[in-house]
Structures are given as structure tokens and as C-alpha cells.
Amino acid sequence: IKPTLFLTNEFTSVFQAIVDTYGTPTYKEVNPAVFTCISFPFFFGVMFGDLMHGSILAAFGIYLCFSKREPGTIGAIFGEVRYLFLLMGLFAFYCGAIYNDYTSLPAQLFGESCYTTDSSKTDKNVQQVLG
């Protein structure tokens, strides 16, 4: 068996660690960490989509990207996952804008929300669907 070596940098190292958690590809296989760099944060955003929480996570990721990585600081503790947090926050913010969701409340930033609190509207919608 030939060994597998994937060279990583600051950005790809955390994604390679996620892939290695599930298994290491064999010799001459495509490295799935390349696809994980975008798909993992995107699927997190789809699952977590919220404007406020996504913006907090993105702001924390931006702070980590610009903070110093001296021992004992928060930049040193979370230094390896800074790009992961940044991308997850940006995608969560993006999906929260699409969902029109702000802390699980109808944001109504872009027109009418998909959530309703009026039961009479809900009953009329159900009657229209059922015919």
C-alpha cells in the first residue's frame, strides 16, 4: 500500500481534518477536502440559516482572521478554525436572508414572511389547498 499525502495550508488544514475524521482517501483518489471547503460551510448555512446568528458567527470569524495568534489569546485558541467560522457565518447569513429569518422571528425584510401568526389565515390556506 502506497501512503497518501495531502499538502495543506492555513485555509485547507481544518477541512482536511474534517475529511480525515471520516477516513483518509487511498492513493490516487481525489481529495474530498477540496469540495468540503465550500460544501461543508454551505450545508451548515442551509441548516442554520438565520440573519442575526449568522452575522454574529461571521463577525467572530472576521475578528479571528485579524487577531494575533500569540499563546494564551483567543486568536491562538481558535486560530485554526477561523476560516471555517467565517464561511459558516457568511453562508448562514446568506441563507437567513433567503429564508427571511431573524432569530426565528419573521424578519419581513423582503416582503411578507413565510411564517404566520394569524390562525384565520392558516385555516383559509388549508381550506384552499384541500379544495
Side-chain angles (χ1 to χ4, degrees):
I1 294 178
K2 294 184 179 181
T4 303
L5 172 67
F6 295 118
L7 300 176
T8 61
N9 56 25
E10 287 182 357
F11 181 76
T12 60
S13 64
V14 68
F15 298 105
Q16 187 66 51
I18 292 171
V19 169
D20 290 343
T21 301
Y22 296 103
T24 304
T26 60
Y27 182 67
K28 289 194 177 180
E29 279 188 341
V30 175
N31 185 7
V34 175
F35 306 107
T36 307
C37 291
I38 293 299
S39 63
F40 185 85
F42 175 73
F43 288 132
F44 174 84
V46 169
M47 176 191 70
F48 191 72
D50 186 26
L51 284 169
M52 188 186 84
H53 294 105
S55 63
I56 290 171
L57 189 57
F60 184 61
I62 290 170
Y63 170 75
L64 289 176
C65 286
F66 290 110
S67 66
K68 295 181 180 178
R69 294 188 217 349
E70 296 173 358
T73 63
I74 196 164
I77 296 169
F78 292 108
E80 289 188 18
V81 295
R82 63 188 178 272
Y83 298 116
L84 178 66
F85 282 174
L86 177 64
L87 287 175
M88 288 186 340
L90 291 176
F91 279 120
F93 182 85
Y94 172 72
C95 290
I98 290 175
Y99 300 156
N100 204 12
D101 190 34
Y102 182 81
T103 63
S104 298
L105 299 171
Q108 296 190 4
L109 296 173
F110 309 108
E112 191 173 328
S113 176
C114 62
Y115 302 107
T116 180
T117 56
D118 187 6
S119 62
S120 64
K121 287 183 180 180
T122 305
D123 293 339
K124 289 178 186 176
N125 291 339
V126 170
Q127 290 173 358
Q128 287 176 351
V129 170
L130 296 177

